[in-house]
Amino acid sequence: MRHYLGICLVLITVAGIAFFALHSCVAAADHTIESVRDAFSQVLRVQPQVTINHRVVLTQTAPVAEFAVVTKEELVSLHFNVHLEVLSVQVPLTEKNLTAEATYRLKAGFNLEEPFHVTIDPATHHVEATMPHAKILSVEQIGDLAYHGEGALLNQITDEERTTILNNLNTLAHQTAEESTLKEDAEKQIVQRLETLIQHNGQTIQIEWNHSAQKMPLK
């Protein structure tokens, strides 16, 4: 009888330890999930899809479609010069110059409708995140457009030429945004903020970029 009671006590003790360990693991996993959700919500305004053991425990949601991280104002200028020629010889009094310039607000950030996926290791609670690259979200002219023009006596500046240089100026502003470091700056800021928050909560994080993401149309 005593031997039977001893076995029962051992089994109860083992079961209690197992239950406590399981409860601790579940509590730790829940804490990691909450930490990831809060970090992404605070930094990117998005709740990513979170997976543990190939099981989705959180689905992706976002209150907005885009989130701008970096904003910069850039003065863009374009010069237009033309003259008339006859037999490859410039005709006097036909050379005209037109310069247009305007300040544009450039914004880089993330399309929150693209997939943000996080996988959590249930044993180590290591976080692996896959995110889309940052994009140029908008290129917006702010303030007035300035023209500096000088027509020629025999070749005045036309309204069509003013329209053309304005369109070319907008194109140049978009090119300036794409060739700038704004997208890289946005990604660096996001990585730094996420790492700081996740590591503060006791987890490690590794971020990979989804290279298959398509460019957003410029606005």
Side-chain angles (χ1 to χ4, degrees), residues 144-206:
D144 296 329
L145 175 69
Y147 282 111
H148 306 285
E150 184 179 275
L153 180 63
L154 303 179
N155 192 15
Q156 293 296 316
I157 298 171
T158 66
D159 291 339
E160 181 180 356
E161 288 169 338
R162 289 189 174 90
T163 301
T164 298
I165 196 171
L166 174 59
N167 292 335
N168 292 341
L169 186 67
N170 290 331
T171 300
L172 179 60
H174 285 91
Q175 292 175 350
T176 300
E178 289 291 344
E179 294 171 359
S180 70
T181 63
L182 286 177
K183 291 180 287 186
E184 290 80 3
D185 293 343
E187 292 179 1
K188 288 178 181 177
Q189 287 192 26
I190 291 302
V191 169
Q192 183 178 12
R193 294 175 189 172
L194 285 174
E195 287 180 344
T196 298
L197 289 176
I198 295 295
Q199 291 173 4
H200 177 74
N201 291 319
Q203 293 93 34
T204 58
I205 183 171
Q206 177 182 347

Side-chain angles (χ1 to χ4, degrees), residues 27-37 120 125-127 198 203:
D30 289 343
H31 173 69
T32 303
I33 294 170
E34 291 177 1
S35 298
V36 169
R37 180 196 61 199
I120 299 175
H125 303 290
H126 174 68
V127 177
I198 295 295
Q203 293 93 34

Side-chain angles (χ1 to χ4, degrees), residues 73 101-105 140-146:
E73 293 184 2
E101 61 181 20
T103 300
Y104 289 80
R105 180 177 290 119
E140 176 190 4
Q141 180 187 330
I142 58 176
D144 296 329
L145 175 69

Side-chain angles (χ1 to χ4, degrees), residues 1 17 21 23 56 59 61 84 95 128 132-133 162-163 179-180 182 190 197 208 216:
M1 185 68 178
I17 293 173
H23 178 74
V56 176
T59 57
T61 60
L84 302 180
E95 183 176 5
E128 293 186 359
H133 276 290
R162 289 189 174 90
T163 301
E179 294 171 359
S180 70
L182 286 177
I190 291 302
L197 289 176
E208 296 182 355
M216 290 285 290

Side-chain angles (χ1 to χ4, degrees), residues 7-107:
I7 293 176
C8 289
L9 288 174
V10 170
L11 292 176
I12 292 173
T13 302
V14 171
I17 293 173
F19 175 79
F20 177 77
L22 179 61
H23 178 74
S24 298
C25 290
V26 171
D30 289 343
H31 173 69
T32 303
I33 294 170
E34 291 177 1
S35 298
V36 169
R37 180 196 61 199
D38 294 345
F40 273 80
S41 296
Q42 180 176 336
V43 174
L44 275 166
R45 306 296 187 269
V46 65
Q47 174 182 287
Q49 176 180 298
V50 179
T51 302
I52 299 180
N53 281 338
H54 305 290
R55 182 172 65 90
V56 176
V57 295
L58 284 181
T59 57
Q60 180 172 331
T61 60
V64 293
E66 298 175 349
F67 178 64
V69 179
V70 179
T71 301
K72 178 184 179 182
E73 293 184 2
E74 183 88 14
L75 178 64
V76 180
S77 60
L78 186 64
H79 182 68
F80 173 80
N81 175 275
V82 68
H83 59 267
L84 302 180
E85 292 184 355
V86 176
L87 299 177
S88 300
V89 177
Q90 179 176 336
V91 178
L93 304 178
T94 63
E95 183 176 5
K96 56 185 174 182
N97 296 278
L98 179 61
T99 299
E101 61 181 20
T103 300
Y104 289 80
R105 180 177 290 119
L106 318 178
K107 293 183 179 181

